[in-house]
Amino acid sequence: MLDELDVLDEQTLVVRAQEGDARAFETLARRHQDALYRLAVRVMGDPAEAEDALQEALLDAWRRIGRFRGESAFSTWMYRIVTNRCLGMLRKRRPIPVEEVEAPAPAHDSPERAAERDAGMAALHRAIAALPDDLRVCWVLREMEGQGYTEIAEITGATEDAVRGRIHRARTKLAGAMRSWR
């Protein structure tokens, strides 16, 4: 069933949410939740922690919606809140051993190819998990979420030059870690 709010544009929903309309905010959150959850999973490395981070970030966003000035896209603002929540959670937790990072579920293939692909993907996940948080966030936003340098700078609060440097360092570290898989 289509809700009357589903047909409203983003700017109208933001204004209504700023006026205290919780349903308008729910509509905004629903529109962006898949991308935000994907970001949280990729930064946190754990779906359960990502879900917690996203829920906390949505609560943060609802509390702060009155401060959103529209200088950037609503999605960019939400990416920043989710990224900050994830980084805060990462700082508080003890590092998880890289062996515990989940590899993706195997696809149907020959057993040899499936084993090789799974081992390569597991190595990549370990390499990504081993990146320092600031490098991992920038790399995930660029390579997995397709964000531009300007947006990543807005999301992370870093300069564009810093973002470019972090992405370069992340790529260099990942290339080194994956050298044996070429």
Side-chain angles (χ1 to χ4, degrees), residues 35-44 49-50 52-58 60-61 64 74-92 132-142 145 147 151-158 163 166:
L36 296 172
Y37 176 71
R38 201 172 47 242
L39 169 66
V41 167
R42 290 171 172 163
V43 171
M44 298 301 295
E49 286 186 334
D52 290 345
L54 178 57
Q55 291 304 317
E56 291 295 323
L58 289 172
D60 291 345
R64 296 187 212 161
F74 179 78
S75 60
T76 301
W77 185 70
M78 285 301 306
Y79 269 111
R80 182 171 192 158
I81 292 172
V82 171
T83 299
N84 288 340
R85 175 57 68 174
C86 289
L87 289 174
M89 289 175 71
L90 286 170
R91 279 191 286 276
K92 288 180 184 172
D133 296 341
D134 59 338
L135 302 187
R136 185 173 59 252
V137 166
C138 289
W139 187 86
V140 164
L141 286 168
R142 178 70 180 165
E145 295 299 319
Q147 296 290 318
E151 290 81 16
I152 297 169
E154 285 181 43
I155 291 165
T156 61
V163 166
R166 290 173 187 174

Side-chain angles (χ1 to χ4, degrees), residues 106-178:
H108 300 288
D109 215 343
S110 73
E112 295 83 16
R113 251 183 89 61
E116 183 179 324
R117 185 192 59 249
D118 291 349
M121 289 304 294
L124 177 60
H125 284 277
R126 285 191 300 272
I128 292 168
L131 289 172
D133 296 341
D134 59 338
L135 302 187
R136 185 173 59 252
V137 166
C138 289
W139 187 86
V140 164
L141 286 168
R142 178 70 180 165
E143 303 299 336
M144 299 177 96
E145 295 299 319
Q147 296 290 318
Y149 295 111
T150 303
E151 290 81 16
I152 297 169
E154 285 181 43
I155 291 165
T156 61
T159 65
E160 279 190 54
D161 286 341
V163 166
R164 288 178 196 281
R166 290 173 187 174
I167 292 169
H168 174 74
R169 286 192 306 280
R171 287 176 179 156
T172 300
K173 286 179 180 282
L174 291 174
M178 298 304 293

